[in-house]
Each structure stands twice: as structure tokens, then as C-alpha cells.
């Protein structure tokens, strides 16, 4: 990815595809299998963090994800990236089927994701 000085807007917009290496997915599965959960919380609310049952359910759901199917779904949408004011940005560009549609820009903050 090229770098640009602060204040510059790059004319370079590059398409890219999500492609997670097998080694990264193997590492993720290994980490999920090694998670050490704490003892059950001593309160019935969330004042001590995520309830243990919810955390177990999340771990089980992450173990079951078909990451290659997710990549295929995500890559069906045009992904692009560029650099603006020295910050790397990734975005989807989806045209409306309505010719007179007003453009809409949706953003998210860290540590969020456009997938949310």
C-alpha cells in the first residue's frame, strides 16, 4: 500500500479481496480450543463481565464458522482501499439500483467493523 504525506488524498483506489491464509485460520482454531474460561460469575447480572454461558456460546459459534463461505459472501461485494490523510481506509462500493439515489456513506469506529 503506498504511503502519502499528511493532507494528501491519493487518487489510487485499489480493489482487493478478503483472503485469510489457512495458517491464520488454523491459529484461530487452536486459540479457541485453548481458551481457559474463569469460574462462574458470582452475580446474576453483567457487572462482572460477560456471563460465562454467553462466552461459551460465543466460543462454540466461532468454532463452527465456515470461514471460506464467509469470504465468498464478503467478496461478492466490491472491496476497495485507499489512503487519505495518511490513513489507510478500506471500503465497499455498492451502487443503488435507483438511478437518482442519494449517495450514502456509512462509517464505523475502532474496533468496529463494516460487517456489523
Amino acid at each position: 500500500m503506498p504511503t502519502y504525506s499528511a493532507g494528501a488524498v491519493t487518487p489510487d483506489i485499489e480493489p482487493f479481496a478478503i483472503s485469510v491464509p489457512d495458517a491464520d485460520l488454523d491459529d484461530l482454531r487452536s486459540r479457541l480450543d485453548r481458551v481457559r474460561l474463569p469460574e462462574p460469575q458470582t452475580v446474576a447480572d453483567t457487572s462482572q463481565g460477560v456471563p460465562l454461558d454467553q462466552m461459551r456460546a460465543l466460543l462454540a459459534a466461532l468454532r463452527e464458522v465456515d470461514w471460506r463461505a464467509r469470504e465468498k459472501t464478503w467478496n461478492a461485494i466490491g472491496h476497495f482501499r485507499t489512503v487519505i490523510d495518511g490513513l489507510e481506509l478500506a471500503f465497499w462500493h455498492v451502487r443503488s439500483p435507483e438511478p437518482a439515489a442519494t449517495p450514502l456513506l456509512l462509517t464505523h469506529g475502532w474496533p468496529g467493523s463494516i460487517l456489523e
Side-chain angles (χ1 to χ4, degrees):
M1 182 70 129
T3 58
Y4 297 89
S5 62
V9 176
T10 174
D12 299 322
I13 295 177
E14 328 178 301
F16 77 97
I18 296 172
S19 179
V20 180
D22 287 335
D24 289 356
L25 294 176
D26 292 342
D27 180 58
L28 173 61
R29 288 182 196 99
S30 176
R31 289 174 188 228
L32 290 170
D33 289 343
R34 290 192 323 265
V35 168
R36 293 175 45 206
L37 294 171
E39 294 179 12
Q41 62 276 12
T42 58
V43 296
D45 58 28
T46 58
S47 63
Q48 291 182 333
V50 177
L52 193 55
D53 289 343
Q54 286 182 2
M55 186 56 67
R56 280 192 183 110
L58 175 60
L59 291 169
L62 288 171
R63 286 182 186 107
E64 296 299 318
V65 171
D66 179 344
W67 294 104
R68 295 302 175 213
R70 291 282 173 106
E71 281 180 347
K72 186 176 179 181
T73 298
W74 296 332
N75 285 329
I77 301 169
H79 293 309
F80 300 89
R81 60 183 166 200
T82 192
V83 177
I84 298 176
D85 288 340
L87 180 64
E88 291 184 22
L89 300 174
F91 61 94
W92 288 343
H93 183 236
V94 180
R95 290 195 180 275
S96 172
E98 300 297 324
T102 300
L104 173 65
L105 177 65
L106 301 174
T107 63
H108 66 84
W110 180 258
S113 163
I114 59 174
L115 300 175
E116 295 170 358

